[in-house]
């Protein structure tokens, strides 16, 4: 059959590569959903079947498609499942012998969409096999015929790289990076003065975490390098404990393990996070929402109003909408002072009482 000789495989010197030679004319009559498959033996891919596929009229007569698909063999007969495809690539060769030719191609991930006998034509679709990975190349037929076809054939250079062992051997466990950075106190290049205390840090860490620090430290670091002095920055309107906790979070991605923090400290941390662009630290609002009690609701409500924390404000108003809880809070001087200070809050509280209750 002509189709059996339409594609031929030639192994290259490199054990991971092979050349797929395609005879042009004998394949033109195939429909868009027909392809030619050839199984290829790749020494470096023991335990897997490598299949080269060629669609002469991919979806229409305007395009060709070439795929290289790696399919895992049955584990009951081949104990090589630890291999894994690392890379696959296809290139067309030009009729001048140069590669790649002036042909616009599109590459995409291949799937095991063919499962036919070697050298035989098969019609799509097929039952999908247990495919590992692969790659496909799609190109305009007119470009291929104009730039690649020599004596009615063209060649595709295919490469497959498979790991010998997967997963790789485990590496020794390293200590956490942030711990190692903190231990290099002799390499700090910036210091901060907050509420009478001094804190030293690394510009690179702070700049990576905070866009505000990145902008602020870049210019200061240039000046410090020119004077060979460590940059020093005064932190205004922030308690030393808050700045220390914020630094801890920037290095570790979590807050220090404290047994009991007052609500005000989480409010301070939210303000610090907002100031320095630490969006993930602003999740302190969730902690504040969980801390809404009779003793803390007014403090949280005022804070939510000042910082536009809509979720926290809604939680506080819902708390006050409970009649018994409202009675306990409304008789305090703190409540009266807050309503005088922020009259709009009184309207919000009254509106919550007017909402219909769900039975």
């Amino acid at each position: 059959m002509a189709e059996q000789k339409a594609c031929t495989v030639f192994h290259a010197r490199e054990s991971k590569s092979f050349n797929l030679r395609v005879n042009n004319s004998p394949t033109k009559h195939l429909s868009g959903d027909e392809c030619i498959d050839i199984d290829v033996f790749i020494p470096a891919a023991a335990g897997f079947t490598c299949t080269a596929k060629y669609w002469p009229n991919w979806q229409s007569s305007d395009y060709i498609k070439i795929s290289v698909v790696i399919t895992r063999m049955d584990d009951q007969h081949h104990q090589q499942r630890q291999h894994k495809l690392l890379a696959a690539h296809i290139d067309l060769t030009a009729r001048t012998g140069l590669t790649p030719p002036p042909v616009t191609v599109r590459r995409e991930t291949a799937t095991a969409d063919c499962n036919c006998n070697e050298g035989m034509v098969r019609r799509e679709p097929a039952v999908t096999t247990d495919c590992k990975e692969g790659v496909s190349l799609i190109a305009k037929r007119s470009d291929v015929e104009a730039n690649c076809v020599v004596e009615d054939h063209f060649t595709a250079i295919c490469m497959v790289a498979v790991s010998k062992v997967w997963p790789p051997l485990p590496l020794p466990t390293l200590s956490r990076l942030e711990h190692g950075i903190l231990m290099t106190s002799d390499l700090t290049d910036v210091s901060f003065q907050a509420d009478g205390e001094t804190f030293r840090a690394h510009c690179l860490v702070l700049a990576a975490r905070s866009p505000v620090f990145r902008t602020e430290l870049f210019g200061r670091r240039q000046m410090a390098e020119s004077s060979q002095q460590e940059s020093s920055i005064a932190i205004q309107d922030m308690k030393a404990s808050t700045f220390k906790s914020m630094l801890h979070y920037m290095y570790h991605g979590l807050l220090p393990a404290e047994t009991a923090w007052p609500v005000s400290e989480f409010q301070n941390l939210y303000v610090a996070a907002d100031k320095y662009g630490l969006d993930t630290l602003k999740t302190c609002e969730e902690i504040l929402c969980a801390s809404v009690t009779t003793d803390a609701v007014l403090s949280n409500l005022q804070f939510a109003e000042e910082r536009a924390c809509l979720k926290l404000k809604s939680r506080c108003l819902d708390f006050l909408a409970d009649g018994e809880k409202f009675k306990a809070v409304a008789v305090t001087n703190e409540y009266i002072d807050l309503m005088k200070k922020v009259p709009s809050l009184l309207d919000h509280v009254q509106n919550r009482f007017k909402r219909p209750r769900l039975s």
Side-chain angles (χ1 to χ4, degrees):
M1 294 176 61
E3 290 83 3
Q4 292 179 327
K5 298 181 180 180
C7 295
T8 309
V9 169
F10 296 93
H11 288 281
R13 292 182 179 179
E14 170 61 48
S15 62
K16 301 176 183 178
S17 301
F18 64 91
N19 294 340
L20 179 67
R21 175 170 168 167
V22 177
N23 291 323
N24 194 37
S25 296
T27 61
K28 279 188 174 182
H29 70 281
L30 299 180
S31 63
D33 61 352
E34 291 180 317
C35 70
I36 299 172
D37 286 11
I38 299 182
D39 287 339
V40 183
F41 174 70
I42 302 294
F48 287 86
T49 297
C50 177
T51 305
K53 313 173 189 178
Y54 173 59
W55 287 263
N57 296 292
W58 172 247
Q59 296 182 339
S60 71
S61 59
D62 295 332
Y63 291 90
I64 67 148
K65 177 178 178 179
I66 300 173
S67 293
V68 174
V69 173
I70 300 295
T71 307
R72 187 171 61 235
M73 293 181 179
D74 185 355
D75 289 337
Q76 294 180 355
H77 301 92
H78 300 271
Q79 302 299 322
Q80 301 291 338
R81 192 171 182 175
Q82 295 302 308
H83 289 64
K84 179 179 175 64
L85 179 68
L86 299 180
H89 190 76
I90 304 172
D91 265 325
L92 295 173
T93 59
R95 61 172 55 180
T96 59
L98 300 176
T99 182
V103 175
T104 301
V105 300
R106 186 175 84 247
R107 292 182 171 85
E108 59 185 26
T109 302
T111 57
D113 49 8
C114 273
N115 187 26
C116 40
N117 294 328
E118 181 175 351
M120 299 299 293
V121 176
R122 196 199 65 71
R123 186 176 299 275
E124 299 294 328
V127 177
T128 301
T129 57
D130 187 9
C131 178
K132 215 46 171 165
E133 289 180 64
V135 67
S136 293
L137 177 147
I138 300 172
K140 276 192 173 183
R141 170 175 283 281
S142 58
D143 289 346
V144 174
E145 291 181 342
N147 298 286
C148 303
V149 175
V150 179
E151 296 180 355
D152 201 37
H153 73 266
F154 64 91
T155 302
I157 300 176
C158 308
M159 184 275 293
V160 175
V162 179
S163 72
K164 293 184 177 180
V165 178
W166 193 270
L169 296 176
L171 295 174
T173 303
L174 299 176
S175 60
R176 296 188 62 171
L177 178 60
E178 66 270 14
H179 175 77
I181 294 175
L182 284 172
M183 292 300 99
T184 59
S185 57
D186 57 323
L187 298 180
T188 58
D189 49 7
V190 63
S191 63
F192 299 90
Q193 284 72 46
D195 196 21
E197 294 189 33
T198 299
F199 302 91
R200 288 183 171 81
H202 306 78
C203 285
L204 181 61
V205 174
L206 303 190
R209 294 292 192 185
S210 162
V212 177
F213 272 130
R214 186 184 308 124
T215 301
E216 184 175 4
L217 294 174
F218 184 77
R220 289 177 176 271
R221 189 174 184 179
Q222 285 186 327
M223 291 187 293
E225 288 175 350
S226 63
S227 62
Q228 296 184 347
Q229 294 180 356
E230 183 181 82
S231 178
S232 180
I233 301 174
I235 301 298
Q236 305 294 338
D237 303 324
M238 188 179 298
K239 294 171 59 178
S241 60
T242 302
F243 188 80
K244 181 179 180 181
S245 297
M246 185 184 71
L247 274 184
H248 187 282
Y249 180 84
M250 295 178 75
Y251 276 89
H252 296 272
L254 45 82
L255 291 173
E258 299 290 344
T259 55
W261 272 6
V263 171
S264 60
E265 187 63 16
F266 290 108
Q267 294 174 350
N268 294 336
L269 280 170
Y270 183 94
V271 174
D274 192 39
K275 178 179 180 180
Y276 290 104
L278 301 172
D279 291 341
T280 54
L281 183 55
K282 289 175 72 173
T283 53
C284 285
E285 183 178 3
E286 300 289 343
I287 300 175
L288 292 173
C289 286
S291 67
V292 174
T293 62
T294 303
D295 294 331
V297 63
L298 295 178
S299 171
N300 278 325
L301 181 58
Q302 181 177 354
F303 177 81
E305 182 71 8
E306 293 173 349
R307 307 302 302 188
C309 299
L310 300 182
K311 186 173 183 179
L312 178 59
K313 180 178 178 179
S314 179
R315 174 71 184 94
C316 292
L317 293 174
D318 286 342
F319 183 90
L320 292 175
D322 184 295
E324 295 300 321
K325 295 175 181 176
F326 176 75
K327 290 179 182 179
V329 174
V331 296
T332 64
N333 291 331
E334 184 183 2
Y335 175 81
I336 297 173
D337 292 340
L338 178 59
M339 295 306 142
K340 289 180 179 180
K341 182 179 179 180
V342 190
S344 60
L345 286 178
L346 181 59
D347 295 334
H348 288 303
V349 172
Q350 291 175 342
N351 289 336
R352 286 299 171 107
F353 275 112
K354 296 177 183 178
R355 287 185 178 181
R357 299 296 182 88
L358 297 176
S359 57

